[in-house]
């Protein structure tokens, strides 16, 4: 019995340390942004050739990995923005790869959410506009271009991975849609890396 008690005295602190380390790792991961987009300052002409067109006002794009669990919060915050600005042109580009086929994209929960949200046009991005022309690296990347094709905002619209609710990026985009400026005009993006294996 004494040996069992000694073993427990050793194992319990070790177990507590392991749990604390795991919890800290999760918190650190949630608060670590992905790679930012290197989007060009002007709307790329190739976008129009693949069915992504600028609107008369601000045009929003969100580029997502169809299986990214973090991007459900980005989609939720995008829905809130569009609810108060229904005239905004908005596209959600679902990136594909040799593994992420168009069928898998359309069967994902993110696609179904986008497809059932008024004012969002979901597209399976077989041309890789999101990662090539708009240079997105991380799922949940949002870009906002004005009617003249100038980039006005790029970044994420969540405070961390899988975090619903107001944040700096969402507030900046709200200001832009309200007719002001996005301040800041660039924010961190929290999400999974986008599939890029089919790119040269």
């Amino acid at each position: 019995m004494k040996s069992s008690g000694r073993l427990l005295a050793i194992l319990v602190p070790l177990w507590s340390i392991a749990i604390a380390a795991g919890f800290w790792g999760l918190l650190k991961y949630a608060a670590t942004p992905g790679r930012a987009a290197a989007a060009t300052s002007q709307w790329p002409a190739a976008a129009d050739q693949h069915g992504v067109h600028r609107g008369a006002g601000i045009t929003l794009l969100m580029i997502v990995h169809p299986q990214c669990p973090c991007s459900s919060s980005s989609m939720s915050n995008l829905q809130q923005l569009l609810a108060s600005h229904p005239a905004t042109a908005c596209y959600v580009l679902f990136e594909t790869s040799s593994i992420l086929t168009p069928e898998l994209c359309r069967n994902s929960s993110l696609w179904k959410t986008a497809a059932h949200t008024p004012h969002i046009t979901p597209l399976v991005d077989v041309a890789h506009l999101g990662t090539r022309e708009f240079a997105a690296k991380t799922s949940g990347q949002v870009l906002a271009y004005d009617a003249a094709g100038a980039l006005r905002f790029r970044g994420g619209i969540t405070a961390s991975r899988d975090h619903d609710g107001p944040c700096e990026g969402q507030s900046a985009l709200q200001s832009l849609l309200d007719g002001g400026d996005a301040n800041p005009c660039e924010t961190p993006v929290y999400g999974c890396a986008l599939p890029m294996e089919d790119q040269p």
Side-chain angles (χ1 to χ4, degrees):
M1 294 295 291
K2 288 184 179 179
S3 61
S4 297
R6 292 194 192 99
L7 184 60
L8 281 174
I10 294 171
L11 291 178
V12 169
L14 290 176
W15 182 250
S16 299
I17 291 171
I19 291 174
F23 185 66
W24 172 251
L26 287 174
L27 287 177
K28 184 178 180 182
Y29 175 75
T32 302
R35 295 170 62 195
T40 58
S41 59
Q42 289 294 316
W43 182 269
D48 296 287
Q49 299 170 15
H50 294 281
V52 182
H53 307 290
R54 288 201 319 272
I58 297 294
T59 300
L60 298 181
L61 294 116
M62 179 183 283
I63 299 98
V64 299
H65 186 304
Q67 296 178 338
C68 174
C70 319
S71 294
S72 60
S73 295
S74 298
M75 191 76 73
S76 176
N77 284 355
L78 180 64
Q79 288 174 312
Q80 292 178 33
L81 286 165
L82 291 174
S84 57
H85 298 84
T88 303
C90 180
Y91 296 88
V92 177
L93 306 182
F94 287 78
E95 293 306 302
T96 62
S97 68
S98 57
I99 297 173
L100 291 168
T101 63
E103 182 180 9
L104 282 176
C105 288
R106 293 190 182 95
N107 286 331
S108 68
S109 59
L110 280 174
W111 175 277
K112 292 173 183 176
T113 299
H116 288 89
T117 300
H119 320 303
I120 287 180
T121 302
L123 293 173
V124 176
D125 191 13
V126 292
H128 301 292
L129 289 173
T131 53
R132 290 178 177 168
E133 301 300 328
F134 293 105
K137 313 290 185 185
T138 303
S139 185
Q141 175 73 58
V142 176
L143 303 168
Y145 288 84
D146 63 21
L151 180 65
R152 300 287 300 278
F153 172 85
R154 64 181 174 190
I157 53 174
T158 60
S160 63
R161 295 175 190 267
D162 200 22
H163 175 84
D164 291 338
C167 68
E168 188 176 49
Q170 189 182 25
S171 296
L173 205 49
Q174 179 75 54
S175 174
L176 181 62
L177 293 176
D178 286 340
D181 292 322
N183 186 21
C185 60
E186 184 170 2
T187 57
V189 186
Y190 297 94
C192 301
L194 290 167
M196 305 178 75
E197 65 181 70
D198 291 344
Q199 298 191 48

